[in-house]
Structures are given as C-alpha cells and as structure tokens.
C-alpha cells in the first residue's frame, strides 16, 4: 500500500484488508490547500482503484498532536486561491464558494468510501480537525485529547463539515452551539458526553491507534457487502425521514440480498470456520 | 382481551386500558414469517377494532430471553417466500423487495397505533429484536439485557428498521456505526449511553415488566386525545423540519383542542378528582 | 437598554453587548397572551432596531421559579381569543390555528435573532417553560431546577415548540416520549442525561444566572459575523440534510468570508490585543 | 378475471395481460363508502394475488357518465361513519381524519399497483371523479367529457387526491386554482390545455375505451420489469429532487438490470420475433 | 374599504366581499422601497383586521401599463437601504440579505392571505411585475400584455419570487430558462403557452379587469372555509410530496369538515336558494 | 477552442464567449462508455479550466440524426464494465450501480456548468438522447425531429436522467408516462405540447443550429454573474420548496449583488453603449 503514500500521508496495511493512513506534515499537521487536496485524492483513488480495503484508520503520525487545523500561512487557505479579488466582489465570492465546495468534497471523501473509516485522535484536534473527524464513521479518542471548533476565533462560521454533521451525529445541541460560539477547548470527556465518540481510550497516540486498528481488524473479518451497505444506509438514514429510508433500503437490499456472503456465513457458522469473502471490487478507474 | 391472543402471542389486560403483549414462541422467540405477520396483525387489529387501549407493553413471555431474532430455519425468512428465483434475477429482486416492505410494515405496526407502546426487554435482544424495539415509543431494559445488531454477521445490512430509526432516536452516530459494523454484543449500560433507553431496571424479566406496566398504567390515566396527539406529533417531528412540524401541529391541534378532555381536566383538578376520559374510539373496521 | 423594559420584562445590559432579559410577572411568571406577545415583540424589536447585542441571557427575576407556564386564568390562553365559537366549529378551528401560529412565532422569536440566546433556569420550569427553553440556543440549569412537559395534563399535545425541537436537539427519543406522555416532573440531572443542557450549575437562580452572564460576556468578545453565521447555519443544519446544508453554507460564507473581522482577528492575535469588531448593524426598522 | 367482478365493478380481460375495470353502480356511479372500499380492494387484491396484469383500463360501464362523484345520500360519505359526534369534537375529528386516510388509500390504490392504470373517461367527471383520474398513470378523455372539481360547492376543500396531484402532474397552477375555487365545469379541451390528458378522443364512451384498450394492449407487449420499474421511478421522481431520484434509481436498477427481459428483447429483435416475458409475479398473499 | 387606500394604492369594494386593489404610482408604477412596503402591509392589514374579503383583484390604475418594475431611482432599491457599505463587505451582505427577505415577504403577502388573489395585467409587466404575479393565485392577462423577466439586464438573478415560483407553477422549464437568461419581452400568447395564465382576455385594461372582477364575484359566492382551505392546501401541495400533502390534508380537513357551510350548501341546493356563509373572521389584530 | 476537440467531439467558438459542441461519432452518434465519458469530461474541463464561456450549444455534426442512443455493441454499455458477474450477484449489482452513477454524472455535466447549455436537435433523438437533452437548460428542435424514450424496449427503466427530469421540467405527467411505457416515437409537435421545447424551428439541422447559436450569442452579451446565478437558482428551485428557495436565494444574492456588472449595466444604458463584463473566471484547476 506504500504506493499510496505521498509527501504528507503515510499509508500502510497493518493487517489484511486494513489500511492505516497517517497525517505527517510536520510539525503540527497544518492543512494547506495542497495537503487537503492530497487527503481527498487518497480516498478517491483507493475507491477508483478498487483496492480491497475493508476498514481504514486515520491518525496522526506525530506523538503530540492530531492537527492544528488550517495552515494560516497558506496564501490560498482562506478561499482566495489566487483570484484577483480587486476586480469584482461578486466574482470573488463565486470563486470563494467554488473553492469551499472543493474543500468540502476533499474533507468529505471518507463518507464516499465504501468501507468504514475510523479516526483515532490524541492531543490537539483543532478547527479543521473537528470537521475531519465529523465526516468519519467512527471516532476513538485518547484520554489526552483536547478539541476546539476554532473557526469563530478566526472570524468565520465553520463551513467544511462541523456544522453540517455535529447537530445530526451527536445528541446535545445546546452544548454544540456553546462550543461553536465560544471556540473554547473541550476535553475528551466532554466530547464523549455530547455523543461524539465511541470510546475514550486511556493514554495517548499509541493506545488509541492500537484500539482503532483492532476494531478495524475485527470489522475486516465481516462481509463487505453487509458492512458497506450498512454504511451507505446509515448515511442515507441521517439525511432522510424514516419512511424514505425504509423505501430506499428496500430498493438497496433487493440487490444486496443476492450476495453469496450470506451462504458463506451460514457455512462458516456450521463448520466453526472463519468466513472468507470476495472483495467488493468496484473497478471505476477508466 | 384474550381473544386477541394467538399461537405465539399472549394478550392480557393487567389494568384498565392497559394491554400486555407477550412474545411466546418457544424456546427463543425466533421470528418466522408467520410469527412477524401475526405480530403486525395484532397491532393493526387492535386499531381497526377500536379497542380502548391507552398504553401497551410488549415483553417476552420467557424468563431468559427477549428474542434471538430471525428464525433462520424458516425457509422464507430471508426474502425468498416461495419465489422460484431460478427464473430471473430481477423478478426475484422485486419479490424480495416486496417481502421486505411487508416485513417492515409488520414490525412497524406499533408506530401506527394511536397509543404508546412500551417495550420491556431482558436477556438477549438479538438482530430483529433491535429493529422491533427501535420502532416502539419507550424502551425499558433489565440490567441483565444484552443487545446485538446481528445482521452483518449473516451478511446483510439491517433492513427492517434499526438503521432507519437508530440514527434519529439516539445521540451517538459513532457508536451506532461501530455496533452495526461489528455486530458485537453490547450491554444495557452501553445502550443507555447512546440514548436508546429511558431506564435500566435492576434485575431481569420480572422487574422490568413490572416497571413498564406501572408506567403504562400511569399513562392510561391521561387524556387519550393528548397522549395520542403527542405520539403522532413526535413521530412527525422526527421526520420533518422544525417549521414543517410547527405548521402541521397547527393543523392538527386546530381540531384536537376542541376536546372535552381539557374541561374534564380542569374539572378534575378543581374537584381533586380523577379525570375520566371517553375512549378515543376510531371504528375503522368495516 | 432600560427603554426595552416593559410591564413584565426587565431588560438590562450587564456588560458591553450583553443583554439580560428577566421574566417578571409575579408571582410565578404565568404567561397570558399579553405576556407572550410582549416577549416575542421584545426580541423582534431588538432585531428591527439593529441593537448591537452580541449575546442575550433570559432568566426569571424571581428567586424560586422560572415559570409555571401558561396562565390558565387568561380567557384567551387556550386559543379562543374572543372568537365566538358557538357559530361554526371550522371557523373556530381556523381561528385557533391562527392564534397558535402567532403563539409559536412569539415564543420562537429567539431563533430569529442574529445573536445567541442563553437561557438560565432554576426552580420550576413547567409546560410553556420547556417550549421556551427549547427554542433558545444554549440552556444552563441550576441544580435545583425541575422540569415538566405539562401539556398532556391539561388535555392537549404540546404545540408551541417542545415536540418540534426536543426530538432534534437532544439524544434520547425514548425518554422524551416518556416525559411527554406522562407529564411527570424531571430533574436537572435527567434533563442533562437526555442532552437538553450544556451545564448544570450547582445552586439556584444566582449561581446559574452568573454562569450564563459570564458565558454571554465571553461570546460577546467574538466576531459577530462568525457567531451570527454559526447560529444561522446550525439552525439550517438541524432542518436539512448534510448535502443541503453544505451547499447552503457555501452560498452563505461566499459573502461572509469577505468580513474584515478575519483580518482584525489576525491583527489582534499578532499584537496580543483584544479584537474589536464593528456592530452587525442590520437596520430593518423603517 | 370475472372472479374479481363484484356488485358494482365489472372486471374482464379483453386481451392477454390486459384488465378492464368498469364502474357500474347505476345510475351515475355515485360513490358510497361501500363502493370506494370495493374499488380500492379490487386493486389491492390483484396485487396481492400476483395476477399477471400488465396494463389495466378503468372506465364507466354506462354510456352517458363516468361518475357523479360522492354519493351524498350515503350517511357515511362525509366522514361520519357512525361515530357519535355529539360526544367530543376532537374525537369526532380524529375519526374523520382516520376515515379520510382510508378513503385516500382506497382511491390511491392504482398508484400502488405494479402495472400502469389507464383511465378512459367520457361524459361527466365530477368531484371524486377528478381525484380518481389524477391518481391513475394515463388519462384519455372522450371529446364529450366535462369535468368539475366540485368539492368547494359542497363546502369543503378536495381531500382525496386532486389537490395533492394536480399541481404536480399538470402545468398551469393559475388554472388549477381557478377551477378549484370556482368548482366550475370545464371541457376536455381545457383539461388538455392544463396538461391533464394524454389525448382527447373524438366521440364518446365507445371511442375512448377502444383507444385506451389499444394502448393497454400495446403496453402489455413490453417487459414488465421495465414498465413496472418506470412507473415506480416516475412516481418517486414526482415526490423527490433530481439528485434524490437519481440516487434511488441507482439502487433500484442495480437489481432490475439483472433481468432476462433484456436478453429476451435482444433475441426478439435479432429474430424479428415477438418478445415473450415471464410474469412479474410477486406472491404477497399469505 | 377606502380606509385601506393609501398614497399609491387604491382600494375599493366593487361587489360584496370582493376587494379591488389598484396600483397607482404615476407614471409607470415603479416600485420604490416605500411602495412595496405599503403593498405588503396592505395585505397583512386586511388579514390582521379580519376583513371579510373572499376574493381580491390586483390591477394597475393606469391605462397603458401594469408596472415597469423596480424604481431604479430609489437609492435603497438595490438592497443598500442606507447601510454604509464601505465599512465591511460581509456586514453589507448581511444587510442586503435581510432587506431581500423583507422584500420577498412584502411581495409574497398575497400568498399569506386566506382569500384568493387574482391579478389582472395589461400593457407592460416588467421585472418585479413578474415576481408579483407569480405569487398571486390566478393570473388573467389582456391580449395587449407584454412581459419581461428583466433582472438579468440589470445584472442580477431575480430574487423576489420569479425563480422560486415559475419552475413550479408553469409547465416548460426550457422556455422559463430562455426567458430568464435573455430578459427578452414575451407576449401574452407565449405566457399562456408556458402555463402562466388562466386566460388571455381580448383587449386591454378595461376588459381584463372586468373579467377578473367577475371571477372574483363568483368565487365570493362560495364557502370561505372551502375556498380558503383549498388555497392553503394547493400551496402546501406545491411544496411537498404527494404523501406528505395527503397527510397534511387529513389533519387540516379533520377540523374544516365540521363547518356549517356544508349543511348550508345542502340547504341552499334543496331550496334552490343562494347559500349564505358566515365570514371566516380570524381576528389576529391585538 | 479546438484544443478541447477530441475523437468524437468537435468544439468551436462561432462567436465571442459562445462554444459549439458537435457530437461526431459516425454514423449515428451511438454512445459507448468511452464516448459518454469524454462528453462529461469536456464539460468538466471547461469548468475546471475557467474557460470564459457564456453560452454553449450542443448539436449533432451529422445532417440526419442527433443520436441513436446507447451503443449496444459496446460490451460495457449495459453496466457490466468488465466485472466478472459470475462470482456474486450482490457484488455485480454494486458495480452496476457504481457505473450508473458515473454515467449519470457524465451525462449530467451540463447542469454543473456555470453557463447555459442550449441543445439543438434534429432527426432522431433516441433513448439516451432524451436523457441528454433533459439535462440541458434550453431545448430547440427542428421540425423534422422525432423522439423516443426507448429504454423500455430494451427491457429497463430509463436511469440516466429522463425519469428524474421530465416529470419536473414539463407539464403533462399523463403523456410522459404514456411515452415512457410505450417507448413509441413522438414528434416535435408532441414534444412541444408537453412543454419539453422552447421552440420548434422549421427545417432540419442547419436551421435549428442557426437559431440556437443566435440565442447563445444573445445570452453571451448579458452579465455572467446574473445569467450564471439565474441558472443555479432555477435548478435549486426545481428541487426545493418555495420557502427554501427564497431563503437560499437570499444567501446567494447577498454575495452576488456586490457585482460591478450592475453599475456596468447602468453605465451602458446611460451611454447607449454595449455593456462589457469581466469573465466569471473560477480557476479551480490546481
């Protein structure tokens, strides 16, 4: 999998069907346009190439921090991207909006992947870091983690995902609004209280990455048709009413239930054997 | 109420206006097509017959388990239902989808009832069991309960309700996804943590059923117009935006506020008397 | 700010850009039509006049109670409002519905304000009190608070906001339904458990108001463009799917990112100075 | 097919896979509760029994009229259905609403059928008649037809389908509103102008029924998987946005494209032969 | 009704329950902020005062033109409204947006009225004129009318209603887009072709106003409960799916069907008498 | 612009800011996977490269036909795309679905372009041809055109756009359903009757292309900020309710109204000069 590694992204395969993506832009994983573009492309490439990944873990490569968020030294990072804004405010706004949508699509890439993405954080998780983890399927945090929805302190409303996701994926709007308006730091315990995390792992980077990789390894033993379909349907459920989701699920599973993974599971159970599933290979690369 | 009892469903009326439905298919309440069809019909019959039920408790009749989920020995249970699938994959898919929708409608019957349905679980609550409780209004669990969203272990995405309901009725998407992808067992404590339960009752079947019946008895003293309307409007709220729900509520209460239950409540309060409400009898049986 | 004070509403400005609105209708802040009309008008006036408010705290002026809810002695309070209902049930219903919508709009005024509204409650928070706090951005409660969604005990389904908001802003539908159907009293601890509160403050009125005012003061140091936009976008997110919210956010921030508050924040950070922001003055009064 | 005929509904099979349903309640096809209940049941029975119908034509059996609409002599026809409304206005309203939903479901049965329903009208098409034809897939009218959305003349807003369907299935809201508010009669030419009809057939009952049966016969030569799927997806499209419909279509056709009807069409084309398709038999009757 | 007349708006009551509103700002009914504010207030006042209006006609008071659209000489007309935009682009944008929403609400007032609003146009209907007529219930045009969606020629996308309404209330998106992108003039015949008009009346102002007033007079003989409900439900239908509209209609008519207008219609029919209905008086003015 | 031409797509710039894309795969513009992939990429490249295109015309390069639709000789054209379907039906379905989504995105590319796309058709417009034109902004047809929604004759429901678009962009569901279920050929006159076309141009390819290019040239003289915004907002309007579109438009125009195109229009009008607008250059290529 090292062929997917790039300047600031280390990709390894610690166990079969499990990928580990490490953010590695020293010193604090600050995200420049180039960095988040590469981040989004990595996920889209894995999907387009039909890599047989069944669970993926995202973490930082550094011992002290997950990410400091946006790289404010990147000239392009606040939407300009080289547009000469002196000419016309409306044209500048259109360009900014376009850039924002590209940014949202890059950071949102984990949602488009057919496999679960588990994010394992420790240390500081600032600004863009909260957008990034909100998009992932499952969030594990080391007990030494601290979070901040930092955008208000720059002078803008978070626009890459936090506000779109948090009110739906957690269970306390009062606290979400407080954390957003104040941009204050909050602990792993408080993150757990609002329902942002599956688990707080005692310790730091090593402990939380270990726990996440074990979870990924376990998920990778399951039917990819079942796991991938579940991911897709939970995302659909989040964005639609109960009757709409039930109807969509009916159309979806009409196809999915023809999988041989069901008989393979029955066979494995009967033989007390490990089930072996074919890849969910979707060759969309031309 | 015993006339509503059937082969695997025991129906009793432990207190006025309160029904108790017990699942009783030995040994583990495995759900065959016949069983879930009967389950859905029971609720629809109570509604069609205009039975004056004001709260209903669902529990298992057995001391050790709520349900093991789908009966995998039932030839029809995985969508086939006698269709000759050798002929045409699309026709088989259409038939599967049709069956799924019937299945969803049967398990979803408690939502269509005009009275609250409280489910009291203990022991194992596996697979379909989670779909079943997700659809109910209120969930009480004995401290000895254990749960599993088991479908992934069969090779399919849950399609009868869990994925449609859980992301909306609880408050931690990370943990919901983890539990769905892993199909692992989780405790009543963890279920409470994600917001799935109103209450964990110390003990087993007897304790949790007792607590649920007391709750039902208390709800049954309230105005059926008010309780039934509240149920209807919370369900609507779950599936619509705030402005849409406020508008719908306006249309709904325009009729409901003409009830004599309001004056009866005022009278009872003044006289320090118990309020007595007429049935919310909706004779829809022809 | 005292010019905004009225018969039952005390308005003060305890710190720059922070308003404090105290409910002061002795003895129990019972809401007559006149009272809730004034409450809604206060917020709408602050907005129309372009008052430079950056955070607002709502509390009771009385030491023992937040509000007992609707004033049942007010002839108009249950929808009649002087309509001669003897003539025609449909016309009466239309009038009731119209009144309900006016009531919803008045109580919902805090959501339309461009600044965050923090509600600080203590003692009894009954019936309409729950609708009122549900609409606010952030909820702080004294540990001596007790709550009741009391409408069912009058004979009606809550129609001014609780049922529209609670299923979306908290994380436990089972408990919300239980509390609604039973109309029973619940503690601050239980309110916190369902995710209704940011914080339970040990003590009573003084302690919780102090905490809320400190929070308001802190928020008032932030960029109004960022805070106001965040409020608007979280509300949009609650009512739309993730893709719809991301698209809307793109259009919104295309304009908002042109604010000078961003450069002011950079300047202040560099100079280790307090940032000073212009008012978000939106003169909509004609 | 005569076994599906009943007191007021004549069912025949004029050509293979084509059913003809004739409304035959002398003298003017006035709809009592019993009549519309039977009408809805007929469609639901055909579906449940898995009858191999590939197109169905609805018409009147009488030479002068399609339907006069609701039978105002039927004590139950305006929602009462035996409820003692003297007791409580809210309970009466709830019962009325329940009855309306049953009525909507019965008249809406053609939409739930997996085959296209073509309605061929002539003479008067009054009140409920417009609701009935709005729900059907395809509308043919004799040139002697006249229509009226008559409900306003009774004193109520149409509630069985006209207002839900017409604004979506036609192309002139101004005229739809005019016709609804005035309840005036309009001609086949005017109906065609708003986009309500596929075709105006010169003549009366005989001519329009002949044209509709020919259309049905032609549709019945097509792949049932393709026709049924198209019906389902157009209905979905009407009720959802373009992106939502494209996503749903993706899930739907993922299963449907596995049909052998595609290869059968290729074979028939190559051999200049008539294609022969298996029934879309969906045995949902228990 | 003359008390509702104001500087540029003439209000008369040409027949019982029918109001006629004439736009009368010489020479070309150009809309300044003051004019559209007054226009919106007129409708809202009629509603708040519970005026027993059952149909209203809007026309121009001048023989040659309906309206030239926005008054470009009004300093405030393009969103500025006195805001010092030099200070901060984001603040200026927020103020512009706020002003646009006020503008939309004013022009959209006819939709909020409980009675039908018929607009009768002749001569030029330019820019804002198209927004204005799109919001009305029914559109009649003299054969000498000409229309232009003129905003693109100013340099902006129409934002007061045309683009929100036209794609839903007419039946040809290709032509709507062509007319919007080109801002070209189109005739009454072309307007009729896309489904924008109920009727083209041969002649000019006098003929079209006469036809509209006759229509209004006829509608005013109908049950206000039925007409008002129909208006409300068609608007709801336009904005919701078929199943959602049917459900909402059920809740709405549950109350509306209790009207005495139904028995009054039956009585009048039996006695061959004119039906007499009580006002739909909804006193919402405090 | 010839650098954008490719094997089967000829790109020219017949007048300033106007592009002409001609489909040129002899003999009948049959669409293989390679062809529709190139078609989608062309549009996306124009956008990514920020080409200053202000209106684009799509037509066939051949005198007799627009397109025969899908290339059935292309092994991949029916969803297979090289997947070994023998292994597992569910995996094959997932791959098919993925390919369909890629196909939808390619054919849907004109909607994502910031400039209007006018399609000018003549001769046969079969199957995929109808999907393609449905996605475009404006449709012109030569009087010799004939159309067929041909998919049912292959054995599948149209899934690339026709069913998603036609029920929304035209005004006669009855005829749309008839044409879909029968797959029969229909004339330009019938297409105009359902509201599919802006205009039927007497003649064949030359006449319709000339008319379309003139329209494009005229649109290209308009403000790109206004035209592009209008396109975006009409598309949004099609997919959202009136209140949602008005709100979105408010956020959109808050930025767009700052354009200098407005003052340029005022200047040009005053000077009787042609307005000159800057490009809407959105450099999103990295």
């Amino acid at each position: 999998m090292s062929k997917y590694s790039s300047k600031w992204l280390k990709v390894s395969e610690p166990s079969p069907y499990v990928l580990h993506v490490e953010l590695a832009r020293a010193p604090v994983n600050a995200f420049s346009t180039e960095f988040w573009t590469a981040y989004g492309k990595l996920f889209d490439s894995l999907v387009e190439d039909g890599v047989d990944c069944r669970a993926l873990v995202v973490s930082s490569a550094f011992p002290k921090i997950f990410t400091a968020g946006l790289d404010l030294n990147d000239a392009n990072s606040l939407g300009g991207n080289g547009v000469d804004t002196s000419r016309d405010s409306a044209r500048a706004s259109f360009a900014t909006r376009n850039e924002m949508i590209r940014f949202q699509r890059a950071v949102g890439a984990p949602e488009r992947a057919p496999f679960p993405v588990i994010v394992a954080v420790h240390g500081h998780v600032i600004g863009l870091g909260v957008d990034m983890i909100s998009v992932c399927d499952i969030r594990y945090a080391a007990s030494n983690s601290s979070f901040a929805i930092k955008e208000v302190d720059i002078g803008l409303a978070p626009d890459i995902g936090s506000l779109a996701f948090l009110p739906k994926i957690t269970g306390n709007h009062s606290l979400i609004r407080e954390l957003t308006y104040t941009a204050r730091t909050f602990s792993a315990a408080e993150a757990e209280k609002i329902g942002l995390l599956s688990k707080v792992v005692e310790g730091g980077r090593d402990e939380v990455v270990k726990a996440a990789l074990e979870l990924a390894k376990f998920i990778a033993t399951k039917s990819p048709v079942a796991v991938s379909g579940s991911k897709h349907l939970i995302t659909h459920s989040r964005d639609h009413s109960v009757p709409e989701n039930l109807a969509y699920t009916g159309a979806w599973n009409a196809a999915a239930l023809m999988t041989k993974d069901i008989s393979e599971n029955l066979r494995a159970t009967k033989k007390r054997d490990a089930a072996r599933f074919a890849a969910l290979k979707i060759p969309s690369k031309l």
Side-chain angles (χ1 to χ4, degrees), chain A:
Chain A
M1 282 304 123
S2 60
K3 71 165 174 162
Y4 286 101
S5 294
S6 59
K7 192 159 49 160
W8 299 321
L9 291 163
K10 288 172 36 187
V11 183
S12 59
E13 187 171 10
S15 58
Y17 313 125
V18 172
L19 295 189
H20 186 190
V21 173
E22 291 174 276
L23 310 175
R25 187 177 183 227
V28 292
N29 283 324
F31 274 85
S32 60
T33 301
E34 185 187 347
F35 192 11
W36 57 253
T37 301
Y39 177 80
K41 280 216 169 135
L42 168 60
F43 282 91
D44 287 338
S45 295
L46 293 171
V47 177
E48 280 167 21
D49 296 354
V51 171
D52 191 2
C53 172
R54 303 190 184 179
L56 185 152
V57 173
V58 174
S59 75
S60 163
F62 305 129
K64 294 291 175 63
I65 190 166
F66 181 72
T67 176
L70 213 54
D71 181 355
L72 296 177
N73 296 320
D74 178 25
N76 292 333
S77 69
L78 280 171
N81 202 18
V83 180
D84 174 6
T85 61
S86 62
R87 274 187 329 180
D88 188 289
S89 290
R91 281 169 174 76
S93 286
F94 277 36
T96 301
R97 182 183 155 275
N98 226 48
E99 190 66 5
M100 233 185 296
I101 289 172
R102 275 205 336 117
F103 197 173
Q104 291 172 347
R105 272 194 71 77
V107 172
E111 180 153 312
R112 292 192 296 281
F115 44 78
V117 176
I118 304 153
V119 66
V121 301
H122 69 283
H124 293 297
V125 184
I126 310 292
L128 182 61
V130 178
D131 299 277
M132 289 176 67
I133 68 172
S134 298
V135 170
C136 295
D137 289 83
I138 296 170
R139 286 162 288 281
Y140 273 27
S143 55
N144 78 356
S145 308
S146 67
F147 304 80
I149 305 170
K150 204 62 184 173
E151 282 84 347
V152 160
D153 271 352
I154 302 175
L156 52 94
D159 51 16
I160 304 305
S162 296
L163 300 192
F165 282 86
L166 291 178
K168 295 187 188 69
I169 65 175
T170 63
N172 186 320
H173 278 217
S174 175
L175 196 40
I176 289 167
R177 288 184 185 261
E178 178 177 333
L179 298 172
T180 304
Y181 302 160
T182 59
R184 75 164 165 84
T185 298
F186 57 104
S187 65
E190 216 165 356
E192 196 177 26
K193 181 181 155 189
I194 56 170
L196 184 60
L197 309 173
S198 282
K199 186 183 265 186
V200 177
V201 180
E202 203 55 42
R205 182 190 176 284
D206 292 352
E207 290 76 10
V208 75
V209 168
K210 181 159 174 281
L213 288 174
E214 271 163 19
L215 174 62
K217 193 174 168 185
F218 185 53
I219 292 175
T221 65
K222 308 288 176 178
S223 153
V225 166
V227 171
S228 182
S230 295
K231 169 170 180 166
H232 186 79
L233 294 173
I234 292 177
T235 301
H236 185 279
S237 172
R238 180 195 68 206
D239 288 337
H240 293 82
S241 69
V242 162
E244 285 177 323
N245 180 255
L246 290 173
Y248 186 82
T249 299
W252 180 272
N253 261 8
L257 284 175
M258 288 181 294
T259 182
K260 290 179 183 158
D261 291 12
I262 295 176
S263 48
E264 169 62 9
N265 270 312
L266 294 174
R267 185 201 62 76
T269 304
K270 207 171 283 177
K271 302 261 173 163
R272 294 168 182 267
D273 192 9
R276 280 178 298 272
F277 306 107
L280 184 68
K281 202 160 188 174
I282 305 175
S284 59
K285 195 69 167 287
L286 288 178

